[in-house]
Amino acid sequence: MNRVVGAVRTAWWWTGSLMGDHDYSRYVEHLRRNHPDAEVPTEREYWKARYADADTNPGARCC
């Protein structure tokens, strides 16, 4: 049973990674590590800026 639960959790995490679920947290870690004086955007601001860039540069997105 533990193996099944572990496999489901791994699959869920992997799927989330593909969908970008972890992108904001990785970005915040990057800012805090490399740019400690930079203001950290809210998650909403992050996604809005990310998709605004994709709209102005369609080559930046995968689909």
Side-chain angles (χ1 to χ4, degrees):
M1 182 69 170
N2 287 340
R3 291 181 127 189
V4 172
V5 171
V8 169
R9 284 184 180 159
T10 300
W12 189 260
W13 179 88
W14 186 77
T15 303
S17 293
L18 286 176
M19 300 304 291
D21 292 352
H22 310 292
D23 291 353
Y24 175 71
S25 60
R26 282 196 312 250
Y27 179 69
V28 170
E29 288 175 26
H30 165 80
L31 278 180
R32 289 186 176 151
R33 190 176 335 114
N34 298 309
H35 310 283
D37 296 333
E39 184 177 332
V40 177
T42 65
E43 189 168 1
R44 183 178 185 146
E45 292 169 339
Y46 168 79
W47 287 109
K48 186 176 180 182
R50 180 173 173 166
Y51 284 108
D53 291 342
D55 288 341
T56 56
N57 182 9
R61 58 184 157 192
C62 68
C63 309

